[in-house]
Amino acid sequence: MGGLSEENIKGVVLALLSSAFIGGSFIIKKKGLKRAAACSGVRAGVGGYAYLLEPLWWIGMITMIAGEAANFVAYAFAPAVLVTPLGALSIIVSATLAHFILKEKLPRLGVLGCVMCIAGSVIIVVHAPRERAIDSVQEIWGMATQPAFLLYVGSVLVLVFILVFHFSPQCGHTNVLVFTGICSLMGSLSVMSVKALGTSLKLTFEGNNQLIYPETWFFLLVVATCVVMQMNYLNKALDTFNTAVVSPIYYVMFTTLTILASVIMFKDWDGQSADNIISEICGFIAVLSGTILLHSTKDFERSSSFGSSYAPVSPTLSTRLCNGNGEFRRDEEDPEPPEDMCMTKQ
Amino acid sequence: MGGLSEENIKGVVLALLSSAFIGGSFIIKKKGLKRAAACSGVRAGVGGYAYLLEPLWWIGMITMIAGEAANFVAYAFAPAVLVTPLGALSIIVSATLAHFILKEKLPRLGVLGCVMCIAGSVIIVVHAPRERAIDSVQEIWGMATQPAFLLYVGSVLVLVFILVFHFSPQCGHTNVLVFTGICSLMGSLSVMSVKALGTSLKLTFEGNNQLIYPETWFFLLVVATCVVMQMNYLNKALDTFNTAVVSPIYYVMFTTLTILASVIMFKDWDGQSADNIISEICGFIAVLSGTILLHSTKDFERSSSFGSSYAPVSPTLSTRLCNGNGEFRRDEEDPEPPEDMCMTKQ
């Protein structure tokens, strides 16, 4: 039985806080964008930058950064197989807040999707493996250079290479799996390096300085490279395809690959009973199904308020940030007239 | 950790067999009804009895009885909290067979519902409590007459009384919860008495004759009474409301109340860890969500082939039997012309 160690509890609390912040930030930014559009008459989607003068938008941005920071720290405390799937909860927070604050109706099947995500998350939390105690960045380096994980990294790089140079030019703009596949593959490496970096920083803050080791700086370089690449292709995917198509596919692939990477690198499932592993997988399937269901409820999709805000179930600051002002991309089709939310300010 | 005792494994296998038989029986009967309609030109829904001359229909009926028998025996081996939720799998079997044999398209969300049901069922099986060893019918009698369970039975009877005499005449034909509520409440008592009777018979077959005790006969009487009542009101519900509305509500209420009754009477959760209980509840929520999703996929509902065949996720022989020939009830609206499946016979 995995149970919850003190470290795991910290990780879960941080992951939940992260989801709450990120989920909430979409709503705050959306309000900010609406206000800005109503006041200036020009929407972000058609080239307006009025939102930059809107304090609400900045509050939303700060909330999102806080959420991303919490997510980053969560990885330093708990295994990726625990933290990553909990990212789905940010969608629930947005959906619920949109229902109550923005008065956007959440359809019945959307509620069912939320219930599934929550049930699945609870199962994952209950059965999560304990985080192994790590004493130095070299220990992580040892994990990252074990043959099994090197094989994983190698396969990922080969696949990405093929996708980028062979499939991207050929069918990148017709097949949604190409760009999202690149993002997801790189995303799994991002999370592993984020976890390595986060753990090193945690050790450093605990007085065990890891900055003197080149491995720490190497992981930082990997984080930067992977995140830039992931960000670039996520934007391509979002520019080419509808968010409602990209998001669930990306979430499913990214989360699955991250769990696979973590199981190989950190041996999360070693020493766990078969019951626990089966339960985790089923809980994970429940979260995935709930996410797909939430995305496929058509009314919800059509409300279009989430625009690209749904994509960012990603592990890293910049990947989410880059979508920050794409929020209104699909709102051009939104028939609803700008509300005069800035009346009080006039 | 509950784990799977030998008795539990027998119970699970029987419950799975039961679901396979019952799920398959709908398809066989449906084929039989189609053939009969095509040959005689009169459908069951409009008063035809040609299906009684159709061997396929009888094979379907026998398969269903075999499934119900397996279900009955499963209750003698494994706890109700394990056997009852697995009933949902019969829906998956029908849906899958309908997809492949009857060529009825299962929509994407229906597939998601199936996946949810399976993931939830696996979690329930992995975490189910062990069946307690019971040596005599008096031991079950002792469980049935403990204050907590008497309180449950008393509450159920009072509620049923109020529903039957106060709400039925007033809003039974406008509110779907009245008739389905009566069925579900009586259903939970049916399962408890079926389990008591099944265990007594199991002991008798093992050489420990329980038929000499009046308690065995009392449980038989309770089974008969509850089942007749449940059957009567399930038919009323199905006559008044659309199957697609009745089935998920009935399944959710009936399964929840049965688990509650079993937890009170057989103390299924005593000695189980909090983790196990939480996992079971989440697994149960996943199964419920999957069932609701399967039922709410509109295309599936409209295909109307399942007619009343979906309702019978019920615990007892006669409750399912009584819907046996109502299969085509909704097929009158089916625009599809009768296929000449009996060509070969002409």
Side-chain angles (χ1 to χ4, degrees):
Chain A
M1 177 108 297
L4 281 174
S5 65
E6 205 186 310
E7 296 270 281
N8 273 14
I9 291 173
K10 278 185 199 161
V12 168
V13 169
L14 283 164
L16 293 179
L17 271 180
S18 157
S19 287
F21 279 144
I22 291 166
S25 78
F26 293 134
I27 306 300
I28 301 173
K29 282 205 288 175
K30 164 92 182 174
K31 277 214 123 163
L33 285 165
K34 271 194 167 178
R35 267 204 199 169
C39 297
S40 73
V42 182
R43 289 185 160 202
V46 290
Y49 288 99
Y51 62 84
L52 292 176
L53 299 171
E54 178 56 53
L56 259 189
W57 188 85
W58 284 104
I59 295 173
M61 210 61 193
I62 292 164
T63 315
M64 185 183 242
I65 294 170
E68 292 290 354
N71 195 37
F72 177 79
V73 183
Y75 278 112
F77 285 102
V81 291
L82 176 56
V83 176
T84 311
L86 294 184
L89 296 178
S90 71
I91 308 176
I92 297 185
V93 173
S94 317
T96 315
L97 290 179
H99 183 84
F100 289 108
I101 295 178
L102 301 179
K103 308 284 175 210
E104 285 169 10
K105 219 179 135 257
L106 182 62
R108 258 184 340 136
L109 284 187
V111 176
L112 201 65
C114 290
V115 170
M116 286 183 190
C117 285
I118 293 171
S121 300
V122 170
I123 293 172
I124 291 171
V125 169
V126 167
H127 295 279
R130 283 158 187 275
E131 174 79 343
R132 276 146 205 270
I134 291 171
D135 295 324
S136 71
V137 72
Q138 277 105 335
E139 209 176 319
I140 308 177
W141 181 255
M143 291 171 174
T145 51
Q146 60 184 311
F149 191 68
L150 287 181
L151 186 69
Y152 177 80
V153 174
S155 319
V156 164
L157 294 180
V158 168
L159 271 173
V160 167
F161 193 85
I162 295 172
L163 283 171
V164 168
F165 292 102
H166 181 72
F167 289 104
S168 276
Q170 206 177 311
C171 52
H173 290 270
T174 51
N175 190 334
V176 68
L177 293 177
V178 178
F179 292 146
T180 40
I182 299 171
C183 286
S184 309
L185 288 164
M186 294 311 290
S188 69
L189 298 187
S190 300
V191 172
M192 291 305 102
S193 48
V194 156
K195 190 157 168 57
L197 188 65
T199 309
S200 306
L201 291 180
K202 193 184 86 174
L203 289 172
T204 306
F205 283 120
E206 286 170 2
N208 179 1
N209 191 2
Q210 303 292 317
L211 303 180
I212 47 172
Y213 301 110
E215 285 88 347
T216 308
W217 301 99
F218 177 82
F219 284 128
L220 180 65
L221 189 72
V222 176
V223 170
T225 316
C226 292
V227 161
V228 167
M229 181 122 176
Q230 191 185 349
M231 191 170 121
N232 179 30
Y233 280 93
L234 184 59
N235 270 348
K236 281 197 185 191
L238 288 172
D239 275 343
T240 317
F241 304 96
N242 192 315
T243 319
V245 176
V246 172
S247 306
I249 297 175
Y250 174 55
Y251 179 77
V252 170
M253 291 206 295
F254 160 68
T255 318
T256 311
L257 288 168
T258 301
I259 289 180
L260 180 64
S262 182
V263 165
I264 296 173
M265 177 164 163
F266 293 99
K267 299 197 170 49
D268 290 324
W269 284 349
D270 278 25
Q272 281 224 294
S273 69
D275 280 8
N276 265 324
I277 296 172
I278 293 169
S279 305
E280 275 163 53
I281 294 173
C282 289
F284 177 53
I285 292 172
V287 173
L288 291 186
S289 308
T291 311
I292 295 171
L293 185 58
L294 249 171
H295 280 291
S296 63
T297 50
K298 295 238 177 60
D299 295 10
F300 198 42
E301 172 194 333
R302 271 196 217 107
S303 89
S304 96
S305 69
F306 286 92
S308 51
S309 55
Y310 257 8
V313 186
S314 83
T316 47
L317 184 59
S318 24
T319 320
R320 270 185 190 128
L321 276 180
C322 70
N323 306 307
N325 20 10
E327 210 90 86
F328 264 77
R329 191 175 296 151
R330 286 171 56 238
D331 258 4
E332 292 150 79
E333 305 132 47
D334 193 341
E336 173 199 319
E339 291 164 35
D340 38 4
M341 280 170 130
C342 52
M343 284 286 267
T344 50
K345 287 174 78 185
Q346 280 165 349
Chain B
M1 179 107 296
L4 281 176
S5 65
E6 203 186 310
E7 297 269 280
N8 273 13
I9 290 173
K10 280 185 200 163
V12 169
V13 170
L14 282 164
L16 294 180
L17 271 181
S18 158
S19 288
F21 279 145
I22 291 167
S25 77
F26 293 134
I27 307 301
I28 301 174
K29 283 205 286 175
K30 163 94 182 172
K31 277 213 124 166
L33 284 166
K34 272 192 167 179
R35 267 205 198 170
C39 298
S40 73
V42 183
R43 289 186 158 203
V46 289
Y49 287 100
Y51 61 86
L52 292 177
L53 298 171
E54 176 56 52
L56 260 189
W57 189 84
W58 284 104
I59 295 173
M61 208 63 193
I62 291 164
T63 314
M64 185 182 242
I65 294 170
E68 292 290 353
N71 194 37
F72 177 79
V73 183
Y75 278 113
F77 285 101
V81 293
L82 175 55
V83 176
T84 311
L86 295 184
L89 297 177
S90 69
I91 308 177
I92 299 184
V93 174
S94 318
T96 316
L97 290 179
H99 183 83
F100 290 107
I101 296 179
L102 301 180
K103 309 284 176 210
E104 284 170 10
K105 217 179 135 254
L106 183 63
R108 256 180 347 131
L109 284 187
V111 177
L112 201 65
C114 289
V115 170
M116 290 297 309
C117 284
I118 293 170
S121 299
V122 171
I123 293 172
I124 290 173
V125 169
V126 167
H127 295 280
R130 282 158 188 274
E131 174 80 343
R132 275 144 206 270
I134 290 173
D135 295 322
S136 70
V137 71
Q138 277 106 335
E139 209 177 318
I140 308 177
W141 181 256
M143 291 171 171
T145 50
Q146 61 183 310
F149 191 69
L150 288 181
L151 187 69
Y152 177 80
V153 174
S155 318
V156 164
L157 294 180
V158 168
L159 272 173
V160 167
F161 192 85
I162 295 172
L163 283 171
V164 169
F165 292 103
H166 182 72
F167 288 104
S168 276
Q170 208 177 309
C171 52
H173 292 270
T174 50
N175 190 333
V176 69
L177 293 177
V178 177
F179 292 145
T180 39
I182 298 170
C183 288
S184 309
L185 287 164
M186 293 312 289
S188 69
L189 299 187
S190 301
V191 172
M192 292 305 102
S193 47
V194 156
K195 190 158 167 55
L197 188 65
T199 310
S200 305
L201 292 180
K202 192 183 87 174
L203 289 173
T204 305
F205 283 119
E206 285 170 3
N208 179 359
N209 190 1
Q210 302 293 315
L211 302 179
I212 47 171
Y213 301 110
E215 285 90 344
T216 308
W217 300 99
F218 177 81
F219 283 128
L220 180 65
L221 189 73
V222 176
V223 170
T225 316
C226 291
V227 161
V228 168
M229 182 122 177
Q230 193 185 346
M231 191 173 123
N232 178 32
Y233 280 94
L234 184 60
N235 270 348
K236 281 196 185 191
L238 289 171
D239 275 343
T240 317
F241 303 97
N242 192 315
T243 318
V245 175
V246 172
S247 306
I249 297 177
Y250 174 55
Y251 179 77
V252 170
M253 291 207 295
F254 161 67
T255 318
T256 311
L257 287 168
T258 300
I259 289 179
L260 180 65
S262 182
V263 165
I264 296 174
M265 179 164 160
F266 294 98
K267 298 199 170 50
D268 289 325
W269 284 349
D270 278 25
Q272 283 225 292
S273 69
D275 280 9
N276 265 324
I277 295 172
I278 292 169
S279 305
E280 277 164 52
I281 294 173
C282 288
F284 177 53
I285 292 172
V287 174
L288 290 186
S289 308
T291 311
I292 295 172
L293 185 57
L294 249 172
H295 279 292
S296 63
T297 50
K298 294 238 177 60
D299 295 9
F300 197 42
E301 173 193 334
R302 274 196 215 107
S303 90
S304 97
S305 72
F306 286 91
S308 53
S309 57
Y310 257 10
V313 187
S314 83
T316 48
L317 183 60
S318 24
T319 320
R320 272 186 188 129
L321 276 181
C322 70
N323 305 307
N325 21 11
E327 209 92 85
F328 263 78
R329 192 175 295 150
R330 283 170 57 236
D331 257 4
E332 292 149 81
E333 307 131 47
D334 195 342
E336 173 198 319
E339 292 163 35
D340 40 2
M341 281 169 130
C342 50
M343 285 287 267
T344 48
K345 289 174 76 185
Q346 279 164 348

